[in-house]
């Protein structure tokens, strides 16, 4: 890679190096009972009237939309009236789901717009070959953001994801990769030297852009160094077959991505996974669906649109049920199930797609380590709404990460969940 190419890569809105180049450093001690995190985000949310339970308290009452998750009733929690304070913009606010901070507002927060998964990666990524795995289906918004405000590229082909996780490159490709990484080191060194030379000559605005640029370069540099550290290490062994999908059914694509995620967790190839389900999901191949996903999400009170939207959203929850079943049947260290040691967050940065509202975000929390089986409702206190980031603080602490603030948080939800 030439110096010009690296500069173009770093100055863009997203780094173009592959997600798997964030390989972990060697030598970290592997925990006996590892904690894992899976975050599944929907660009269009879930219809509030169908999703949110009416009752509150220790017994979770399932709505028709939640029926596919009935067998997990005691191992999950549904949240109402959580949001990201100050986040607006409808579709343009969806990317804040795991951060609570819009990209253009990142400078006003101590951690920028870093997402939950990437903050967990900073603390725990060194324990596995792949610090995190960012998957996607149906295009759509970025779900994962680095501390320097870079959107982590999503891998949308589950076959390619499986290949990268479990299939070694031929020796010729490995040597070519080694030469590329060595050249990257040289180019990065030159860029750092030039940046140091010109920094005193910049005005305030240019200095801010330079700081953003240098943050992106540090991401790239860390990724390059960890690539080198893992280049000669054997790839993990998959505990199951390559997920099958025919490129036709949209829910087949969702399932294949989740199956890849389950195999990656089982092999301890990674402990942090995100999956974004975007608005370009080709739903018209579902029987009975004759409109696009975006059109149906703006359902209004049209009975036929509401019926079709319910079919799509129910199908997505069926796939969540399948994923939880996979984790529950996979054995973990010590004989417990993978689900017992995995936190699964399913939700959206969109509260109501029909009205473009980013409030009252739909969230389901499943997996081990929490008091489950409830619907937790957090009403407004005057104008104050409980931030979703309060839940994220609790999730980080449950993973062993010492944090008392994250994004727009004002505290945590430990008293309800831990």
């Amino acid at each position: 890679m030439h110096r010009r190419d690296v500069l173009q890569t770093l100055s863009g809105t997203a780094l173009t190096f592959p997600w798997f180049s964030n390989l972990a450093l060697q030598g970290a001690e592997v925990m006996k009972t590892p904690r894992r995190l899976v975050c599944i985000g929907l660009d269009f949310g879930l219809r509030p009237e169908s999703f949110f339970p009416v009752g509150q308290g220790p017994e979770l009452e399932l709505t028709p939309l939640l029926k596919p998750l009935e067998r997990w009733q005691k191992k999950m929690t549904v949240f109402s009236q959580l949001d990201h304070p100050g986040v607006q913009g409808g579709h343009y606010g969806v990317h804040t789901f795991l951060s609570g901070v819009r990209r253009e507002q990142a400078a006003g927060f101590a951690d920028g717009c870093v997402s939950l998964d990437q903050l967990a990666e900073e603390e725990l990524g060194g324990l596995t070959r792949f610090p995190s795995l960012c998957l996607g289906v149906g295009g759509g918004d970025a779900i994962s953001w680095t501390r320097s405000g870079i959107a982590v590229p999503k891998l949308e082909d589950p076959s390619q994801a499986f290949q990268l996780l479990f299939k070694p490159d031929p020796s010729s490709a490995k040597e070519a990769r080694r030469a590329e990484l060595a050249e990257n080191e040289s180019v990065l060194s030159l860029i750092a030297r030039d940046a140091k030379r010109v920094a005193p000559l910049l005005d305030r605005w240019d200095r801010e852009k330079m700081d953003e640029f240098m943050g992106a370069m540090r991401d790239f540099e860390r990724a390059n160094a960890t690539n080198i550290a893992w280049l000669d290490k054997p790839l993990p062994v998959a505990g199951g077959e390559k997920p099958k999908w025919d490129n036709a059914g949209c829910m087949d694509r969702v399932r294949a991505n989740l199956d890849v995620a389950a195999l990656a967790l089982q092999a301890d190839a990674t402990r942090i996974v995100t999956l974004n389900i975007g608005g370009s999901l080709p739903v018209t191949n579902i029987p009975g669906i004759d409109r696009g996903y975006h059109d149906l999400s703006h359902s209004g009170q049209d009975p036929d649109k509401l019926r079709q939207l319910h079919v799509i959203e129910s199908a997505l929850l069926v796939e969540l049920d399948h994923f939880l079943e996979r984790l529950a049947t996979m054995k973990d260290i010590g004989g417990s199930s993978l689900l017992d040691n995995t936190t699964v967050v399913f939700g959206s940065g969109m509260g109501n797609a029909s009205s473009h509202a980013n409030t009252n975000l739909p969230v389901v929390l499943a997996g081990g380590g929490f008091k489950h089986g409830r619907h937790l409702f957090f009403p407004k206190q005057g104008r104050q709404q409980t931030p979703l980031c309060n839940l994220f603080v609790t999730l980080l602490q449950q993973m062993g990460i010492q944090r008392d603030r994250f994004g727009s948080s004002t505290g945590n939800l430990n008293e309800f969940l831990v």
Side-chain angles (χ1 to χ4, degrees):
M1 180 180 290
H2 296 292
R3 182 181 181 188
R4 181 186 66 256
D5 299 327
V6 174
L7 280 168
Q8 290 174 344
T9 295
L10 293 172
S11 60
T13 57
L15 292 182
T16 56
F17 60 85
W19 61 267
F20 62 90
S21 64
N22 278 345
L23 298 179
L25 293 172
Q26 303 178 53
E29 182 181 355
V30 178
M31 295 182 293
K32 293 183 178 179
T33 54
R35 295 294 308 173
R36 301 171 181 87
L37 175 67
V38 178
C39 301
I40 304 168
L42 313 175
D43 276 5
F44 293 159
L46 298 163
R47 185 168 177 263
E49 295 86 351
S50 302
F51 173 76
F52 291 112
V54 176
Q56 304 175 45
E59 295 298 325
L60 173 60
E61 298 179 16
L62 297 179
T63 60
L65 189 56
L66 290 171
K67 277 292 184 181
L69 302 177
E70 186 170 11
R71 57 177 160 168
W72 311 109
Q73 198 163 352
K74 299 296 183 182
K75 289 193 173 183
M76 71 180 195
T77 301
V78 177
F79 297 85
S80 294
Q81 296 298 330
L82 297 179
D83 63 21
H84 293 313
V87 171
Q88 300 176 351
H91 296 300
Y92 298 103
V94 171
H95 73 273
T96 68
F97 173 47
L98 296 179
S99 68
V101 179
R102 286 187 61 156
R103 170 67 177 81
E104 60 271 22
Q105 299 171 329
F109 291 81
D111 294 312
C113 64
V114 65
S115 53
L116 175 68
D117 61 299
Q118 291 300 296
L119 184 60
E121 177 191 305
E122 291 178 3
E123 300 287 339
L124 304 176
L127 299 173
T128 57
R129 182 183 188 101
F130 298 86
S132 65
L133 178 61
C134 187
L135 303 173
V137 57
D141 290 281
I143 189 174
S144 185
W145 295 84
T146 69
R147 183 176 295 274
S148 55
I150 301 299
V152 178
K154 293 176 292 185
L155 193 61
E156 297 219 8
D157 183 342
S159 299
Q160 184 182 2
F162 185 89
Q163 181 80 17
L164 291 169
L165 285 164
F166 301 114
K167 298 297 183 182
D169 289 328
S171 58
S172 58
K174 180 182 290 186
E175 292 311 308
R177 179 65 171 153
R178 193 188 310 277
E180 178 186 353
L181 294 171
E183 185 176 0
N184 285 351
E185 278 192 312
S186 176
V187 173
L188 287 165
S189 178
L190 289 172
I191 292 174
R193 187 179 66 188
D194 286 352
K196 185 177 181 180
R197 176 177 56 82
V198 302
L201 307 177
L202 303 178
D203 59 24
R204 179 179 176 181
W205 186 89
D206 285 335
R207 194 174 298 114
E208 289 177 356
K209 299 302 293 182
M210 175 63 81
D211 289 343
E212 181 179 326
F213 171 85
M214 294 303 293
M217 192 182 78
R218 285 190 292 271
D219 288 338
F220 191 90
E221 187 175 25
R222 184 176 66 251
N224 199 72
T226 52
N227 255 327
I228 294 171
W230 281 95
L231 189 60
D232 293 318
K233 298 292 183 180
L235 290 173
V237 178
E241 295 183 356
K242 178 180 177 180
K244 299 176 181 178
W245 68 303
D246 59 10
N247 280 313
C250 64
M251 293 304 158
D252 292 337
R253 301 186 188 191
V254 174
R255 178 166 297 197
N257 274 284
L258 290 172
D259 284 346
V260 167
L263 290 174
L265 296 173
Q266 183 187 37
D268 207 28
T270 188
R271 295 177 184 174
I272 302 166
V273 180
T274 56
L275 170 64
N276 187 71
I277 299 175
S280 297
L281 193 69
V283 296
T284 52
N285 53 41
I286 300 175
I289 305 300
D290 59 14
R291 296 170 181 256
Y293 192 12
H294 183 255
D295 181 16
L296 292 173
S297 73
H298 293 278
S299 54
Q301 298 302 315
D302 184 314
D304 188 55
K305 282 189 175 184
L306 292 174
R307 178 192 62 79
Q308 294 190 45
L309 184 61
H310 184 80
V311 171
I312 297 168
E313 294 180 346
S314 295
L316 290 171
L317 287 166
V318 166
E319 297 311 318
L320 176 59
D321 167 68
H322 171 78
F323 179 61
L324 296 178
E325 180 185 26
R326 289 293 304 272
L327 297 185
T329 56
M330 290 176 166
K331 291 299 182 183
D332 200 359
I333 298 171
S336 59
S337 76
L338 209 59
L339 183 59
D340 290 332
N341 298 318
T342 302
T343 298
V344 180
V345 181
F346 180 92
S348 178
M350 177 75 78
N352 188 336
S354 189
S355 61
H356 279 192
N358 301 108
T359 55
N360 194 15
L361 303 177
V363 177
V364 175
L365 176 68
F370 301 97
K371 294 185 292 185
H372 280 313
R374 294 177 296 165
H375 170 218
L376 294 179
F377 179 85
F378 296 91
K380 284 186 177 181
Q381 303 293 330
R383 293 187 176 182
Q384 297 299 314
Q385 189 68 52
T386 302
L388 176 55
C389 286
N390 284 13
L391 172 61
F392 293 161
V393 170
T394 292
L395 302 189
L396 290 168
Q397 292 178 359
Q398 190 71 353
M399 294 186 73
I401 300 171
Q402 297 183 15
R403 299 280 303 198
D404 57 8
R405 293 297 303 270
F406 176 76
S408 57
S409 70
T410 56
N412 59 59
L413 301 186
N414 292 1
E415 62 181 299
F416 301 101
L417 292 170
V418 179

